[in-house]
Amino acid sequence: MQIHTLILLSLTVIFAACGKPAEKDVSLKKERISPEQMSLIIDSQNITCGDQEFCPEGVARMFAINFEDVNTSSTCSAFLIAPDLVMTNSHCVYGKKLSLAKICSGLYFVFPHNGFSYSAQCSQIIWRDNRQQGRRHYRDGDNDFALIRLDQNIPLQPLKLRRGGLRAGAKVYPVVVDQVGGYTAKITKLECLVEKVMPKYGVVQLSGCPVISGNSGAPVMDEDFNVVGVIFASSDNTIRKPSDEQSLRVRSHTKGFAFSMDHIHKVIGHLL
């Protein structure tokens, strides 16, 4: 089955977005994509790891597809916390005027492993913050994290969740998915410092942490590969072209923002 050139172009550009579509371009017509076409794209994924010594199993490239208009589709990062359960951001599982079932039908996850990959789709959105409503900017009190049940077990090691690992001055490692193109992505380990902890909202500010679009939903890990938080935002998310993001990241003074696992446990611990 052939995939329309415009669809591929849309995927390459739109998939640079950090859990949301790029700014709406009124010149773009609605471009549909079928589940069959999306399956071909999923089967052709090439996801590499930038640091083989720190490349934990269970980190996934996440696709949020609107089959009726691919221009409003996006990508995020996600990670496995049980064989059939992933965690990501709430803003990654929102679609304007779409039902939960419709949103779930467009969620795909690709887990790379030793040159191979496992893929799965959403079977149920277990939890998301309905107040968050896919906003582009964080509002105090938003709980920008989500749990999604997969349609099959993934035979990889789920990541371990740890409370108490985010304190001021601690060194942490967000393991993010850099969205290079429609078919390609790279898992990248960042090295960041916990600069500020805001326990009232469960938010942690990370310095020297050049989070870029597409990294939303990535796990923040400690040196022992335990997940201590979840990335949800950046202090500068204006860059849209993946090539620009990669070249500018090395000179970036961007701050990253994450929810602590302590806060996530307070809100949805009964589901974990």
Side-chain angles (χ1 to χ4, degrees), residues 42-261:
I42 294 298
D43 290 342
S44 302
Q45 289 297 296
N46 178 24
I47 305 175
T48 58
C49 194
D51 186 345
Q52 294 299 328
E53 295 184 0
F54 201 107
C55 193
E57 294 183 1
V59 177
R61 185 183 198 189
M62 174 182 171
F63 295 81
I65 302 300
N66 181 351
F67 293 109
E68 298 302 314
D69 185 7
V70 72
N71 295 309
T72 61
S73 298
S74 60
T75 55
C76 280
S77 303
F79 58 97
L80 202 66
I81 64 171
D84 65 342
L85 190 64
V86 295
M87 185 175 289
T88 186
N89 288 150
S90 269
H91 74 254
C92 297
V93 293
Y94 268 91
K96 191 174 182 180
K97 298 181 180 179
L98 295 179
S99 67
L100 272 182
K102 198 77 169 178
I103 294 169
C104 182
S105 70
L107 300 182
Y108 295 78
F109 302 86
V110 183
F111 301 84
H113 181 64
N114 293 335
F116 179 72
S117 63
Y118 298 97
S119 62
Q121 290 182 251
C122 169
S123 68
Q124 180 188 5
I125 298 173
I126 296 176
W127 193 92
R128 68 172 186 177
D129 186 357
N130 291 324
R131 300 171 304 170
Q132 202 272 336
Q133 298 179 345
R135 274 188 293 275
R136 296 183 178 187
H137 303 291
Y138 172 74
R139 184 184 69 180
D140 288 346
D142 284 351
N143 288 314
D144 197 356
F145 39 87
L147 285 179
I148 298 168
R149 182 81 63 193
L150 303 178
D151 63 351
Q152 59 183 297
N153 288 348
I154 300 297
L156 297 175
Q157 183 66 44
L159 302 186
K160 295 181 180 179
L161 308 181
R162 179 195 168 198
R163 286 176 278 181
L166 286 173
R167 63 187 185 282
K171 188 178 293 186
V172 292
Y173 307 91
V175 181
V176 303
V177 179
D178 287 337
Q179 318 290 344
V180 180
Y183 290 116
T184 56
K186 183 175 72 171
I187 294 178
T188 301
K189 181 191 77 170
L190 305 179
E191 184 174 313
C192 310
L193 197 68
V194 177
E195 182 176 78
K196 185 178 181 181
V197 179
M198 295 164 270
K200 181 178 180 180
Y201 302 112
V203 173
V204 178
Q205 181 174 298
L206 306 174
S207 65
C209 202
V211 172
I212 58 177
S213 58
N215 295 167
S216 289
V220 179
M221 308 190 78
D222 62 15
E223 293 182 348
D224 297 319
F225 291 81
N226 298 308
V227 179
V228 293
V230 180
I231 290 290
F232 72 92
S234 166
S235 62
D236 181 7
N237 191 29
T238 59
I239 306 169
R240 287 298 174 188
K241 294 181 180 179
S243 57
D244 290 345
E245 290 174 338
Q246 300 303 320
S247 62
L248 294 176
R249 171 181 269 170
V250 295
R251 302 193 301 274
S252 173
H253 298 288
T254 300
K255 298 181 187 298
F257 295 89
F259 280 100
S260 70
M261 198 51 61

Side-chain angles (χ1 to χ4, degrees), residues 9-36:
L9 178 61
S10 297
L11 291 177
T12 301
V13 176
I14 300 300
F15 285 174
C18 188
K20 59 181 180 292
E23 295 296 328
K24 185 176 181 180
D25 186 342
V26 294
S27 66
L28 291 177
K29 295 181 179 179
K30 284 188 176 182
E31 188 73 22
R32 290 182 172 85
I33 184 172
S34 70
E36 292 77 19

